[in-house]
Amino acid sequence: MSRITLKVNGGAHTVDVDPATPLLYILRNDLNLQGPHFGCGLGQCGACTVIINGAAVRSCILPASAVKGEITTLEGLATNGKLHPLQQAWIDEQAPQCGFCQNGQIMTAKAMLDKNPHPTDAQIRESMNNTLCRCMSYNRIQAAIKRALEKPLGFQPPDTAERVVPLTHGAASGGSRASKKAVVA
Amino acid sequence: MSGNIPSQVEEILSTNRRGFLKTAGLLFVGMAAPDAPAADAPGPYPVVDPRKLDSWIVIHQNNTATFYVGKTDPGQGTGTGFRQLMADELDIAFDNTTCIMGSTDITVDQVGSGGSTAMERDSLPMRRVAAEARRVLLEMASARFGIPVDGLAVSEGVITVKADASKHVTYGELIGGQKFNVTLSGANAASVSGKAKTKTIPELKIAGKPMHRDDIPGKVDATTKWAVDVKLPGMVHARNVKPPYACAKLTGIDEASVKGLPGFIKVMNKGNYVAVVCEREEQAVKAARQLKTTWEKPATAPFPSSEDLFRYLRNAKPAAGTTPLQEGLVGNSEAAFANAAKTIEAEYEIPFQGHTAFGPAHATADPSNGQMTIYSNDMKTYGMRRGVATFLGMPQEAVRVVYMQGSQGFGRTAAEDAACEAAWIARELGRPVRMQWMRDEETAWDTKSPAFLVKMRGALDAKGNLAGYTYDALSCDYNHLGYNEPDTTLIAQLMGQRRAKPAAGSAATPSDMYAIPNRRMNGDVVALPAIWETPLRTGNLRDPNGPQAAFASESFIDEIAAALKADPVEFRLRLLEAGTGDDSGFRRARSIAVLKAAAQKYGWDARPSGKPRGAGKILTGRGIAYTFRGQSMVAQIAEVEVNRETGHVWTKRMVCAHDCGFVVNPESLRTSVECGMLHGLSRALHEEVRFNTEKVTSVDWVSHPTLRHADVPESMEIVIVNGDPHPDRPDLPLYGAGEACLKPTMAAVANAIYDATGVRIRRVPFRPERVLAALKAAGV
Ligand code: FES
Ligand code: FES
């Protein structure tokens, strides 16, 4: 075991773990983040994607001790309570089915657009091609990316001072449904 | 809070719900611990009585409502649809409602999900109880104002005296936080009813409108709490150690191989079931890999290899004790063949295909208070409750399943295995246990959709009519797993449990309304050598067996049309229009309507398929297929590009005409249909479970490919048809959706490949190497 400090979504967290532990397990189990998911543990599907130094990284195969730099997870995309334009486009296009893969889809798309703000259709397909979805929401995802492109994306460096890591979440079981509007009100 | 639901109300409702059902008390807002769902519910957990109105609907003091339904929604939007229908019947604004689904101790048992029946069947009692609640509220207002009910008007949860608009009262003021204490009639959840009549379809205002799904925001902003996220005090992590060979017998466990590992707690073993438990997740992953076990291979091979599967099936006899499925017997097909001018025969092969959940199977079990709580994303939580209780020998009242979001299921998946595993280990250890399958386990050991071998024959008479038709299917489905039958879960099988009589499994016959004068359809179930402890266990996958039957039958109809040099759309219409009668759902008329709608949307050029091949590298073609599931009709057109040098197939364009009657939420229907079509495309192009004679060798996304972003058509068009021949009927029915749309896809793509290349591919999936070999063999 060793003490490792991780910078995540603007906060810093020190954990005492086996340094070989994949980052994913620490994000999920120690930092209580629910964005990154376990899909394969093999770097094949993208469910566990986080952004480190601007690159989409598969946290299931990244040992915690190898992390260099600031980690952004899906929880860290919104700024001051306002969804990132990609997240909004995901809602507007009703992209998810079960949603389990969408962390990987959104984070991979963000890293792609940060590097190349005006991708062609072919570039979108290519950049997203290794991020899988078993509900086959691909067409909706591509539509959402294109929708986000129509607006200025306004990517800004994260405002670390004001960012709060959401360590606890109020949502009840997945069996409970309300309009987001209603819940937030 | 402007009449909307306060932020914490949904948690409070789920945590205090049973207290509310037991007593007539008010809801105490603000007492719940949101991160520990129902932690204050020590059990037991009696079944929720469907005959009590209070089991379905709670009205809050702030004039909002919560609906409790016994269904689950793995991401097709049924939850939003239920809210639309119930809000409509209750006459309350959609945004002032919530819907709690699927947890066994706080919702009535409506069986969970399956068969695309959510809207068609299970929404009916929901509508009746919501209408009844409205009726009761109107009577309360009538008593309060001393005015007969017909002197009152209701809108968005406010009842107003028609003659004096200054007199009004909200639902919340009438009953907020209190019980209705109304008993419904009817024997069970499906048949409960009050005295009120439900609205006619034209009276519905919220249902029928496109609505954003309510589960989506939480899935994109990371606030959804998934079943995989459950964390409980003292919880430990478990991983299975699966047999390295199918049907192997465990001969030894070397516990010393993991004993010193940090966090190691225990090796769990009974029979051939082995698991490790550790304090932390990564420790359990490591221990499961490191544990040394020895196994003895079975004396005989449990199954042929996937390369040999269809040879095996060709020689197989129907499994002992199974009865053939015989349907659609018309005329005398053998006489038609005896008199045929020409006979056409073809065989079609569909391999085992997996559910292959994106998030491998998982469940968390909590044995606190001598009860057992399971946190699961399984779509049949009520059956799971019974299954886990039976498996553990616990009274059913001691078990509950809390339904949470999870990766897609599409049928009988390993989610049920994981629940039984977590529960058994939790009881043995006396600690909450989180069980999580790994990717290789999920892909290799999850339940499969059965392989099919279908033999088809067509008799053409001298005038070029299809005079005779036979369909003979062999479905490799023996000992098919039911839902939540504890003795069929993998852990039970590995522990040596055997049912006296294995489940017979099922075959399927085609779903079409073709009028063919002489027709015979038969389906038989066959067994592989091993039926227990095998990774080739079969279990329902999204319209079980429908896609297999439709691949064969709709490919074959295309072959007949090609033989007759007939246009594939016209030929199908001819067969549909050859009949005159119709059934109560107007399936014949609606079949014709979807075929025409798809052809029109596509801009179909009428000509026989198998067009002259171009000279270039890319060959293009289009194919159609049509079928139905229940009363939902679907016609699909695929346009493909086939690379003659690589065999790669790209489906460039897909058109689907879909008729499921009245559409509750056109927006979620469209997205579900689109995703369903792509699921069909994935099965057409990629999916096949591979195995040698010892084990399944499809273990990850490389050895078991699935559809990817690059495969997506350039254009996907969906036409929502309502082909009911009486559009003015006040009561257009709602039919199921979600499954029908993937049923014809494999055939539509195969028919398009034929049109492009003149080569008929009768074996799924159409991977490049198979297509290329077929093109080469045909000299293309
Ligand atoms: S879980 Fe990391 S790539 Fe699949
Ligand atoms: S939305 Fe279900 S796996 Fe992508």
Side-chain angles (χ1 to χ4, degrees):
Chain A
M1 306 290 264
S2 61
R3 288 173 72 78
I4 293 175
T5 298
L6 298 167
K7 282 187 249 151
V8 184
N9 299 332
H13 306 269
T14 301
V15 288
D16 191 17
V17 294
D18 177 345
T21 303
L23 174 63
L24 174 66
Y25 294 128
I26 297 173
L27 296 176
R28 290 188 48 76
N29 297 338
D30 298 296
L31 273 54
N32 277 324
L33 295 168
Q34 297 164 186
H37 280 161
F38 172 79
C40 69
L42 304 165
Q44 294 177 350
C45 74
C48 60
T49 304
V50 298
I51 293 178
I52 305 179
N53 298 336
V57 172
R58 302 202 159 178
S59 67
C60 69
I61 48 170
L62 181 70
S65 56
V67 177
K68 304 267 178 296
E70 168 94 21
I71 302 163
T72 304
T73 72
L74 185 58
E75 283 88 346
L77 282 202
T79 331
N80 300 327
K82 195 168 179 313
L83 292 180
H84 185 279
L86 275 171
Q87 291 172 303
Q88 188 56 50
W90 244 249
I91 294 174
D92 295 341
E93 289 293 341
Q94 296 285 287
Q97 290 275 293
C98 81
F100 204 82
C101 71
Q102 301 295 340
N103 167 72
Q105 308 288 353
I106 296 171
M107 299 306 277
T108 308
K110 178 178 190 307
M112 166 184 73
L113 295 183
D114 283 350
K115 286 206 188 79
N116 175 9
H118 305 291
T120 61
D121 283 9
Q123 286 168 332
I124 293 175
R125 285 162 179 260
E126 199 194 312
S127 306
M128 300 298 294
N129 205 37
N130 289 329
T131 309
L132 305 181
C133 172
R134 277 295 283 169
C135 297
M136 309 294 162
S137 65
Y138 297 118
N139 198 44
R140 297 253 58 74
I141 293 166
Q142 292 176 19
I145 294 172
K146 289 179 209 166
R147 176 187 277 255
L149 285 176
E150 283 163 17
K151 303 176 204 156
L153 282 170
F155 291 118
Q156 286 146 0
D159 182 355
T160 47
E162 288 181 35
R163 198 67 68 78
V164 182
V165 182
L167 286 177
T168 55
H169 297 276
S173 85
S176 112
R177 295 309 189 66
S179 303
K180 201 69 185 176
K181 225 187 336 182
V183 176
V184 172
Chain B
M1 64 190 63
S2 64
N4 280 333
I5 292 190
S7 60
Q8 299 282 303
V9 98
E10 36 173 343
E11 299 85 90
I12 282 128
L13 288 169
S14 46
T15 47
N16 288 353
R17 171 73 172 150
R18 259 165 324 87
F20 179 78
L21 287 174
K22 258 188 269 172
T23 69
L26 294 171
L27 288 171
F28 296 101
V29 174
M31 282 175 50
D35 248 1
D40 64 336
Y45 313 104
V47 168
V48 178
D49 185 354
R51 283 158 303 189
K52 296 260 187 302
L53 183 53
D54 296 302
S55 300
W56 299 83
I57 294 175
V58 172
I59 308 273
H60 310 288
Q61 280 160 316
N62 66 351
N63 206 26
T64 60
T66 302
F67 305 131
Y68 292 86
V69 304
K71 302 289 294 176
T72 55
D73 176 6
Q76 277 85 46
T78 50
T80 304
F82 299 144
R83 281 179 64 201
Q84 288 177 269
L85 286 165
M86 292 179 80
D88 241 331
E89 295 289 357
L90 182 60
D91 260 323
I92 192 165
F94 178 81
D95 279 337
N96 288 349
T97 64
T98 53
C99 180
I100 307 272
M101 306 178 78
S103 292
T104 62
D105 60 329
I106 55 171
T107 57
V108 299
D109 178 355
Q110 291 189 281
V111 193
S113 299
S116 296
T117 55
M119 292 299 146
E120 181 168 347
R121 212 175 51 205
D122 297 321
S123 72
L124 301 178
M126 300 177 198
R127 289 175 60 192
R128 293 194 295 264
V129 299
E132 178 68 359
R134 178 183 182 275
R135 185 192 70 77
V136 173
L137 287 158
L138 273 166
E139 284 200 344
M140 291 170 79
S142 161
R144 173 181 287 219
F145 293 127
I147 298 225
V149 165
D150 56 13
L152 301 171
V154 54
S155 169
E156 304 215 331
V158 181
I159 299 173
T160 309
V161 176
K162 281 182 190 163
D164 179 359
S166 69
K167 286 190 184 150
H168 49 79
V169 64
T170 69
Y171 287 174
E173 286 160 355
L174 285 170
I175 204 172
Q178 290 167 316
K179 292 176 77 170
F180 283 101
N181 288 321
V182 168
T183 303
L184 305 163
S185 59
N188 51 43
S191 62
V192 291
S193 182
K195 294 186 196 132
K197 277 207 353 221
T198 52
K199 293 180 176 173
T200 61
I201 299 282
E203 287 173 302
L204 298 175
K205 295 192 198 101
I206 305 170
K209 274 215 296 227
M211 290 283 216
H212 274 12
R213 270 169 43 203
D214 55 23
D215 57 316
I216 285 182
K219 290 173 176 176
V220 307
D221 69 9
T223 52
T224 293
K225 199 165 175 68
W226 304 79
V228 290
D229 296 324
V230 171
K231 292 178 188 67
L232 301 168
M235 185 181 87
V236 292
H237 292 268
R239 286 294 186 281
N240 290 321
V241 177
K242 286 272 187 334
Y245 313 103
C247 309
K249 189 172 171 308
L250 181 72
T251 52
I253 298 179
D254 174 15
E255 227 181 289
S257 61
V258 292
K259 263 249 150 81
L261 286 178
F264 170 76
I265 296 173
K266 202 171 165 138
V267 174
M268 309 296 301
N269 168 235
K270 187 172 175 188
N272 293 323
Y273 178 74
V274 184
V276 295
V277 185
C278 292
E279 294 290 349
R280 288 182 57 91
E281 185 164 17
E282 68 276 9
Q283 294 166 340
V285 173
K286 188 172 179 186
R289 279 199 197 118
Q290 196 165 310
L291 181 71
K292 287 210 178 82
T293 48
T294 49
W295 303 79
E296 193 180 293
K297 287 185 191 175
T300 54
F303 32 70
S305 71
S306 41
E307 275 62 50
D308 264 343
L309 176 66
F310 294 102
R311 202 171 335 175
Y312 172 89
L313 290 182
R314 250 173 219 109
N315 296 317
K317 297 267 168 306
T322 59
T323 357
L325 172 71
Q326 286 169 337
E327 282 181 339
L329 190 64
V330 184
N332 181 342
S333 50
E334 289 320 306
F337 282 98
N339 299 323
K342 188 175 179 190
T343 296
I344 297 176
E345 294 189 5
E347 276 189 347
Y348 301 89
E349 301 170 335
I350 303 96
F352 286 101
Q353 296 184 317
H355 293 76
T356 332
F358 184 78
H362 53 86
T364 297
D366 182 357
S368 301
N369 308 314
Q371 319 286 309
M372 187 62 71
T373 298
I374 311 282
Y375 299 88
S376 171
N377 68 324
D378 190 44
M379 56 185 229
K380 304 246 189 211
T381 46
Y382 307 89
M384 175 178 280
R385 167 185 188 262
R386 287 188 290 273
V388 168
T390 313
F391 181 63
L392 298 181
M394 291 175 81
Q396 285 191 25
E397 290 209 345
V399 178
R400 67 169 165 167
V401 180
V402 176
Y403 171 65
M404 301 179 74
Q405 289 289 294
S407 162
Q408 103 292 343
F410 301 147
R412 199 294 188 193
T413 68
E416 317 191 6
D417 301 304
C420 283
E421 291 160 0
W424 180 72
I425 299 172
R427 194 185 52 183
E428 295 294 303
L429 289 182
R431 290 177 73 172
V433 170
R434 180 174 182 275
M435 167 57 75
Q436 167 78 61
W437 285 27
M438 301 300 281
R439 177 80 261 149
D440 57 337
E441 261 182 292
E442 176 72 24
T443 307
W445 286 88
D446 186 20
T447 50
K448 310 292 186 287
S449 166
F452 263 61
L453 173 69
V454 184
K455 181 170 183 162
M456 302 211 57
R457 290 188 309 153
L460 303 181
D461 67 17
K463 290 192 215 114
N465 295 314
L466 179 57
Y469 171 110
T470 61
Y471 167 101
D472 288 281
L474 292 179
S475 164
C476 204
D477 195 35
Y478 191 61
N479 204 17
H480 174 105
L481 299 182
Y483 287 96
N484 315 108
E485 292 158 348
D487 51 355
T488 68
T489 56
L490 193 54
I491 181 174
Q493 295 190 26
L494 290 167
M495 286 178 170
Q497 292 186 27
R498 298 286 183 269
R499 319 189 99 186
K501 199 171 176 312
S506 61
T509 55
S511 307
D512 61 54
M513 294 300 284
Y514 298 141
I516 301 168
N518 303 287
R519 183 167 180 164
R520 179 182 62 71
M521 300 192 286
N522 186 79
D524 267 301
V525 172
V526 295
L528 292 173
I531 59 167
W532 300 105
E533 299 179 54
T534 164
L536 296 178
R537 304 177 299 155
T538 51
N540 284 353
L541 170 64
R542 228 178 184 186
D543 185 4
N545 308 343
Q548 292 96 315
F551 170 62
S553 64
E554 279 296 288
S555 292
F556 189 66
I557 287 294
D558 227 63
E559 296 208 39
I560 303 269
L564 292 171
K565 307 237 174 316
D567 172 70
V569 173
E570 277 173 18
F571 183 66
R572 285 174 172 81
L573 288 173
R574 205 192 299 165
L575 292 180
L576 290 169
E577 283 163 356
T580 46
D582 211 337
D583 66 5
S584 59
F586 307 103
R587 276 203 287 219
R588 200 178 64 86
R590 293 165 61 232
S591 296
I592 293 169
V594 290
L595 263 172
K596 288 185 172 167
Q600 190 188 5
K601 182 83 190 172
Y602 179 78
W604 185 267
D605 51 328
R607 58 168 175 79
S609 278
K611 68 176 190 188
R613 269 195 300 270
K617 184 169 81 170
I618 301 294
L619 303 172
T620 62
R622 85 288 189 265
I624 189 162
Y626 130 83
T627 185
F628 56 81
R629 163 98 163 128
Q631 282 290 354
S632 292
M633 327 304 293
V634 56
Q636 233 170 69
I637 296 172
E639 181 179 309
V640 298
E641 286 188 1
V642 183
N643 183 322
R644 73 193 328 165
E645 289 169 12
T646 62
H648 178 261
V649 176
W650 180 42
T651 302
K652 190 177 178 197
R653 184 177 173 204
M654 289 178 97
V655 171
C656 179
H658 190 276
D659 178 358
C660 57
F662 174 72
V663 179
V664 175
N665 185 352
E667 187 172 278
S668 67
L669 177 70
R670 265 171 199 280
T671 55
S672 286
V673 168
E674 187 185 293
C675 297
M677 289 160 73
L678 292 180
H679 189 190
L681 188 60
S682 185
R683 293 176 70 172
L685 297 180
H686 296 289
E687 296 184 35
E688 170 174 13
V689 178
R690 296 250 169 108
F691 39 92
N692 58 30
T693 56
E694 290 182 336
K695 60 175 181 248
V696 171
T697 54
S698 294
V699 291
D700 58 17
W701 295 120
V702 175
S703 51
H704 185 272
T706 180
L707 202 80
R708 286 169 184 260
H709 273 282
D711 293 316
V712 173
E714 198 171 79
S715 163
M716 298 190 72
E717 293 139 82
I718 295 157
V719 201
I720 296 177
V721 182
N722 195 329
D724 190 310
H726 300 294
D728 295 331
R729 281 203 309 171
D731 223 6
L732 301 175
L734 296 62
Y735 299 127
E739 294 178 315
C741 53
L742 71 119
K743 198 166 175 172
T745 312
M746 294 194 291
V749 175
N751 295 342
I753 294 173
Y754 174 78
D755 184 43
T757 64
V759 176
R760 178 58 63 177
I761 314 272
R762 300 191 183 90
R763 165 78 154 88
V764 172
F766 321 133
R767 289 189 186 171
E769 57 277 12
R770 179 165 296 127
V771 174
L772 189 63
L775 295 180
K776 286 247 153 73
V780 176

